[in-house]
Amino acid sequence: MHLSPSYPIETERLLLRPLSPDDVDAAHAYMSRPEVTAYTPYEPRSREEVAARFADPKFTRTTLDAEGQFVFLGIVVKETGQLVGDALLAWHSELHRSGEVGYQLHPDHWGRGYATEAAREMLRLGFEDLGLRRIVARIDEDNPGSAAVLRRLGMRQEAVLVENEWFKGRWSTEVIFAMLDREWRDLSGGA
């Protein structure tokens, strides 16, 4: 199993590409926002924290060749060239052929379908290019916008882990969505 796509990856309205140190200011514009980081493992980041992250090769990886690795791809609006968020594909297990998707967007771009479009492409990369069998997405139950994105993708809600994690000063209930490769093929027309 191996993932080595050609970049940028083009969707109808977006370009997905590896993040680089040149993206620090644009990424800081959303990574520093409390409404964006409310459901992420980190607090709003300073510009210096974003710069340090983008200087770390594991966060700017362009390929996957071993389980435990992940790619973060910048979400760029084709029409404007503006970086508006990022999407994640993580490879959890080679034996189980499992992975995870995630995404975050600048609030000025919420409600336009960009998260759905980017996450759909991450699912395609995971299933069709990497050969995963099962991909999950994990969200906080207090994040209905993200649940709507995952449902639009055709992912099924599979589990609700009630107050399973102490998260940012409260017990968080985690909701797990999942999709199998055969479900992906059915939704994408047998690709």
Side-chain angles (χ1 to χ4, degrees), residues 57 84 133 164 169:
V84 297
R133 186 185 144 284
N164 72 310

Side-chain angles (χ1 to χ4, degrees), residues 35 38-39 139-147 167 170-175:
E35 62 269 47
Y39 305 112
I139 65 168
D140 189 292
E141 79 170 346
D142 291 339
N143 188 355
S146 217
F167 183 74
R170 65 180 178 84
W171 287 108
S172 170
T173 295
E174 183 177 27
V175 182

